[in-house]
Amino acid sequence: MTNNLVENTIEQNADSTPADHVNSANGMMMQLQYAAPSHVSLSENNQSDHTQHVALFTQMHRDAVSFHGRVKDPLVFRDSLLALFDVVSSDYRYVPKDRAAYTVFRQMRRASRNKNLFSAQRDYFTWLFNNDPLAFCILDPIIQVHQEGVSFEVFSRDEGCYAQLTLQRDLFEMDSDTVLGTTSIDYSSALFDGIEQIRDHQTTTLDIGQEAVRLQRSESSETDDGEPEDKNEVIEKRINVPKSWIRALLQVQSAGQLAKERIDLDPIALYNVLFELRMHADIKGKRRGLLIELIPQQLPVIILEPFDIAVTSQVSRQQTPYQGQKSKLIRLWGRRRLSLLKRLLPHTDTVSVSLLGQGMPSYWTLTGKGFHFTFAMTGFSQANWSQSLNFDLLLPKRPQYNVLDSDYKENNNVLPLMQALAEQPSGIDALSERLSTQDNPITTSYVRQQLLSGAQQGLIRYDIANQSYYYRPLTQTPLEMAQFAHHNEAEKQAFDLVSREDSVQNLSVQTVVTQGVSISADIQVKEDRRTYRSQLQLGEDGLVSRAECSCPQYLQHRLSQGVCAHLIALRLSYHQYDHTQTNSWHDTRTLSKRVPKHHQKSQKAAPYPAQNVFKTKQQSANNAARSTLSANDILDLSALAQGLTPIDTDARQTTRKHTGHTISYVHLTCDHKKVLIEHIMDNDSTRQQFVFNQPAQAHAAFLQHIARFEAQGFIENKGV
């Protein structure tokens, strides 16, 4: 790779029009041209040993990329590519029943009753290709040949999974020199069928490039002068890629650079999770989350809801406990997508999980001999506007232009960063040292900001496994960032409303036990000369369960025509809301703890003794006639905590004998002068309510209750 790679890219973009994609209102029409379809061929050499030849043909309109080598471990090579194909072809979106397709199928079967099997199958796939072309539509992977090996990037059809596979050079025996670069490869079901036939006793070679294509796909023709001419057959794919697909791909890849919690697991622990998911089907109306319990200096515990099955690592001695300073309980969704990793588990040595937060994307990195596979599970689908909006708020504001666009020459200070990555992939610290000079030192925070901006523009790829950055342009021509700034016009208007002063008034945030968060505000729109009342109800998983607005769009169409800008502005305001403020006397906290099942009756029967509760009510009545407590006074709530039996030595020994556990939830609510405590275990619940003279007293008692429950081993679930 030459030193003038980035500059040459800018000159080519300024002199030529985009050849690989055409922008449209609905998406981006990508024209991918290959000299031949990728395939796996069986050849026979002089020693009469069969050799599997994997030929991956690159896109013709992009820079030439070549890689040739013999695979040392064919099984790792086979299973990793098959796992990559499982991710790119996965679609976990809910599909309702359609009787029309079944009716057409019955008619076609009656018409093909007298045909043989081959003709019937041919007619069926012809009809499917003509009537449902999306069934065969997958976007070809992005492949990059770099100094450390070969990397593949794919994104699923439902916009919920991202995978990055790196095959290191140690996995190959190189036959010739490689040409570094980035391009696309043809990836189809025929290639998938050929890769499945790879076996360990056969020699497998990998060939990436275009030089062998012209020899295999050339045919002779005559010109007007009668002279023979070689003409290459070219296969062309036209795929209309939605803009939301590319936007989500860029954001999932760039979000891996943000601050996150990292834990280590054994491969057997991930296998146990997949085994339990396969043995237990989801229950309609019940929780479907994946709880990860993090306690300082203890091994992470994965809990499957609603079965309360706890999975922990117990085999590997190399696993380190959680190194955080505070206990956390993080809930993830989309757990069924983890089954896409089952092919790689036999070859995996270590598993690391990076967590961005409650309901946010999680990155699962599987590392083995000669490869590492990073799987990003976003937990939301294309139609989930509330969850995708949550994900967008994690990242800084998207740039409105591309740094490689020649029209913006004043931003050439970013080009040295791209050029340094094109020469050698590096981390943040090494990159800042390379770019810094005595007269112009560059800080790591500035480099991190520029790298995140480059990743959002599709120019930089971040590898979580080795924490390195690579220069990887997603397309041959720079993306027009103005088209990917917002999902729609309503979201653009919402960001404009939030940026104004006093546009969101009377913001109210209230947490309702077992229902979620209720948000309401008055949205003032100067252009309409009106103020609209908007309300949202967020569930525990961050999804919008109820939405109301007084604007004409909602009153006429409800949510059938999309979400109005006022509801999106309310959601953005809630993200900027200070959840730690103490001047609000309405707050709800949820705490949970895993307890043995044989302790259910003792803990559910009476969390607080009746006598102590009665005495507390009498004390509250007597305090009503007294003056207000000062801020320095400390409420004595020892009577309220006597019902919480501490975990003694005998109980711990008994707990070790029983492997069955359940989750005990405690909901504490402070509502002005009242404190409500609700204890829930399985289907049973108990409620306690205390009334105080002043809101300050109730809030102080509320905080003391939280501290006492945390001392008993309960972990606060902060929610979304």
Side-chain angles (χ1 to χ4, degrees):
M1 183 174 294
T2 60
N3 297 334
N4 297 327
L5 175 63
V6 180
E7 287 79 355
N8 295 337
T9 304
I10 299 179
E11 295 178 0
Q12 293 177 3
N13 298 334
D15 299 337
S16 61
T17 58
D20 56 343
H21 63 267
V22 178
N23 296 325
S24 61
N26 298 328
M28 177 182 297
M29 178 63 69
M30 301 188 66
Q31 301 179 6
L32 307 178
Q33 294 187 357
Y34 304 98
S38 299
H39 62 274
V40 179
S41 60
L42 182 63
S43 60
E44 186 175 353
N45 54 19
N46 298 330
Q47 289 78 16
S48 300
D49 294 332
H50 296 284
T51 301
Q52 294 282 356
H53 178 73
V54 181
L56 302 180
F57 298 115
T58 60
Q59 188 178 353
M60 299 181 63
H61 285 169
R62 300 203 62 167
D63 296 336
V65 176
S66 65
F67 184 90
H68 309 279
R70 188 179 68 87
V71 181
K72 296 181 181 179
D73 194 340
L75 296 184
V76 173
F77 177 78
R78 178 195 65 186
D79 293 339
S80 59
L81 290 182
L82 292 181
L84 200 70
F85 188 87
D86 292 340
V87 174
V88 72
S89 59
S90 63
D91 191 349
Y92 285 85
R93 290 174 293 187
Y94 172 72
V95 179
K97 293 183 179 180
D98 188 3
R99 303 293 299 181
Y102 179 72
T103 303
V104 175
F105 168 74
R106 293 291 300 270
Q107 295 176 358
M108 182 180 59
R109 190 172 67 171
R110 287 194 299 266
S112 304
R113 183 173 303 173
N114 297 327
K115 295 182 179 181
N116 54 21
L117 179 61
F118 176 77
S119 301
Q121 290 181 349
R122 182 186 58 187
D123 295 342
Y124 170 74
F125 285 110
T126 302
W127 173 87
L128 186 63
F129 182 79
N130 296 330
N131 295 272
D132 191 10
L134 294 179
F136 300 96
C137 178
I138 60 174
L139 191 61
D140 293 335
I142 302 297
I143 185 173
Q144 181 183 13
V145 178
H146 48 83
Q147 292 84 346
E148 300 175 359
V150 183
S151 296
F152 302 83
E153 287 183 273
V154 297
F155 204 63
S156 63
R157 293 172 54 191
D158 60 353
E159 305 179 13
C161 301
Y162 167 83
Q164 181 184 117
L165 169 65
T166 298
L167 300 177
Q168 302 174 358
R169 284 182 175 266
D170 299 339
L171 191 63
F172 302 94
E173 291 183 0
M174 307 305 299
D175 297 337
S176 59
D177 296 336
T178 61
V179 178
L180 308 183
T182 304
T183 183
S184 300
I185 61 171
D186 177 56
Y187 213 47
S188 60
S189 57
L191 178 64
F192 175 82
D193 297 336
I195 294 177
E196 281 188 326
Q197 305 301 323
I198 295 178
R199 296 296 182 265
D200 192 13
H201 63 275
Q202 297 176 341
T203 303
T204 303
T205 60
L206 176 63
D207 186 3
I208 302 175
Q210 299 180 0
E211 62 276 2
V213 172
R214 297 185 178 89
L215 299 178
Q216 298 178 4
R217 301 293 297 179
S218 62
E219 60 180 9
S220 178
S221 61
E222 294 184 357
T223 60
D224 298 337
D225 301 335
E227 297 180 357
E229 178 185 5
D230 292 336
K231 180 180 179 181
N232 294 331
E233 294 182 359
V234 176
I235 61 172
E236 183 176 357
K237 295 183 179 180
R238 294 178 178 268
I239 303 176
N240 188 11
V241 182
K243 294 180 181 178
S244 60
W245 193 96
I246 299 180
R247 187 171 185 262
L249 170 63
L250 297 176
Q251 293 197 349
V252 169
Q253 207 284 329
S254 57
Q257 308 176 34
L258 301 181
K260 49 190 174 295
E261 297 284 348
R262 179 170 178 174
I263 59 176
D264 296 327
L265 298 175
D266 285 331
I268 190 62
L270 181 57
Y271 169 81
N272 291 334
V273 171
L274 299 182
F275 174 78
E276 297 295 344
L277 289 177
R278 186 168 59 89
M279 299 301 295
H280 297 80
D282 294 335
I283 302 176
K284 186 176 182 180
K286 298 293 184 178
R287 295 174 178 265
R288 301 181 183 180
L290 192 69
L291 288 176
I292 299 181
E293 182 182 279
L294 303 178
I295 301 178
Q297 302 305 321
Q298 294 188 16
L299 296 179
V301 179
I302 301 178
I303 305 172
L304 279 68
E305 296 180 325
F307 317 106
D308 298 335
I309 300 175
V311 178
T312 183
S313 299
Q314 302 176 355
V315 179
S316 177
R317 297 181 179 179
Q318 300 178 355
Q319 181 182 3
T320 57
Y322 174 62
Q323 302 298 325
Q325 301 296 330
K326 187 177 181 181
S327 300
K328 294 183 180 181
L329 189 65
I330 300 177
R331 179 180 282 109
L332 304 177
W333 284 268
R335 60 188 184 183
R336 292 290 174 183
R337 294 185 173 95
L338 291 177
S339 60
L340 300 174
L341 303 176
K342 59 185 178 183
R343 296 181 185 270
L344 289 176
L345 281 179
H347 313 289
T348 302
D349 297 332
T350 59
V351 177
S352 63
V353 186
S354 300
L355 307 171
L356 293 181
Q358 180 93 348
M360 292 295 116
S362 58
Y363 296 80
W364 303 68
T365 302
L366 281 67
T367 305
K369 184 178 180 181
F371 80 97
H372 56 262
F373 189 92
T374 301
F375 177 76
M377 185 176 60
T378 59
F380 60 85
S381 58
Q382 179 180 1
N384 192 346
W385 66 272
S386 61
Q387 198 74 2
S388 61
L389 188 60
N390 273 341
F391 176 54
D392 292 348
L393 296 177
L394 289 175
L395 300 174
K397 188 176 181 180
R398 179 174 295 278
Q400 298 297 324
Y401 52 85
N402 199 298
V403 295
L404 295 184
D405 196 340
S406 59
D407 296 336
Y408 300 94
K409 297 181 180 180
E410 66 274 8
N411 296 280
N412 288 336
N413 54 350
V414 186
L415 295 181
L417 180 67
M418 305 292 179
Q419 186 62 47
L421 291 179
E423 296 175 358
Q424 179 65 38
S426 307
I428 293 182
D429 296 336
L431 195 58
S432 59
E433 294 178 0
R434 292 172 56 187
L435 297 177
S436 299
T437 58
Q438 296 181 356
D439 300 335
N440 185 20
I442 298 179
T443 60
T444 56
S445 59
Y446 172 79
V447 174
R448 182 179 290 104
Q449 181 182 1
Q450 298 299 331
L451 290 173
L452 183 57
S453 176
Q456 290 180 296
Q457 301 173 39
L459 302 175
I460 293 178
R461 176 179 66 88
Y462 176 62
D463 197 340
I464 297 181
N466 52 19
Q467 299 181 0
S468 299
Y469 294 85
Y470 298 80
Y471 174 72
R472 189 267 298 134
L474 186 61
T475 56
Q476 184 71 10
T477 56
L479 297 174
E480 298 181 8
M481 302 312 303
Q483 300 182 1
F484 303 98
H486 305 287
H487 282 96
N488 46 39
E489 189 65 24
E491 184 177 334
K492 182 179 180 181
Q493 297 176 5
F495 276 93
D496 182 57
L497 289 175
V498 174
S499 62
R500 303 177 185 178
E501 295 182 359
D502 300 333
S503 60
V504 181
Q505 304 174 356
N506 303 325
L507 178 62
S508 175
V509 178
Q510 293 185 353
T511 305
V512 183
V513 177
T514 67
Q515 294 184 7
V517 181
S518 177
I519 314 169
S520 62
D522 296 330
I523 310 298
Q524 183 181 5
V525 184
K526 296 182 179 179
E527 292 80 1
D528 299 345
R529 297 181 180 180
R530 291 191 58 183
T531 300
Y532 303 104
R533 183 67 177 177
S534 301
Q535 298 179 0
L536 283 177
Q537 181 75 31
L538 299 181
E540 296 181 354
D541 52 358
L543 303 181
V544 177
S545 58
R546 183 175 60 87
E548 296 180 0
C549 187
S550 60
C551 65
Q553 177 183 348
Y554 179 83
L555 295 178
Q556 183 177 0
H557 304 285
R558 299 296 176 180
L559 298 178
S560 60
Q561 302 294 330
V563 186
C564 64
H566 319 104
L567 291 174
I568 300 179
L570 178 62
R571 185 66 183 85
L572 295 173
S573 301
Y574 171 70
H575 177 74
Q576 301 175 359
Y577 176 74
D578 186 9
H579 299 273
T580 61
Q581 59 183 355
T582 58
N583 56 354
S584 177
W585 304 114
H586 186 94
D587 192 6
T588 298
R589 304 289 179 88
T590 301
L591 298 94
S592 61
K593 176 185 177 182
R594 289 187 298 116
V595 296
K597 289 186 177 181
H598 68 280
H599 283 174
Q600 291 182 16
K601 295 182 179 180
S602 61
Q603 294 193 12
K604 290 185 294 186
Y608 302 104
Q611 297 179 356
N612 295 333
V613 174
F614 179 74
K615 292 180 180 179
T616 306
K617 291 184 178 179
Q618 287 183 346
Q619 293 175 1
S620 300
N622 296 333
N623 292 336
R626 301 177 184 176
S627 60
T628 305
L629 294 177
S630 61
N632 297 328
D633 294 337
I634 300 177
L635 297 178
D636 185 12
L637 301 178
S638 58
L640 302 181
Q642 291 180 3
L644 296 177
T645 305
I647 302 177
D648 52 5
T649 307
D650 298 337
R652 292 179 180 176
Q653 294 178 357
T654 308
T655 303
R656 296 174 183 173
K657 298 179 182 179
H658 296 268
T659 57
H661 288 77
T662 186
I663 300 180
S664 176
Y665 292 94
V666 176
H667 302 280
L668 295 95
T669 302
C670 178
D671 188 4
H672 198 57
K673 299 181 181 180
K674 299 180 181 179
V675 174
L676 177 64
I677 302 177
E678 182 176 4
H679 197 121
I680 301 176
M681 185 177 295
D682 293 339
N683 296 326
D684 298 334
S685 63
T686 57
R687 297 167 62 93
Q688 298 288 336
Q689 181 174 327
F690 308 96
V691 183
F692 297 85
N693 293 334
Q694 299 294 332
Q697 300 176 7
H699 191 263
F702 174 73
L703 296 180
Q704 289 190 15
H705 278 297
I706 295 177
R708 292 183 184 277
F709 277 106
E710 289 181 347
Q712 298 299 326
F714 283 83
I715 301 177
E716 181 180 354
N717 188 359
K718 297 183 179 180
V720 179

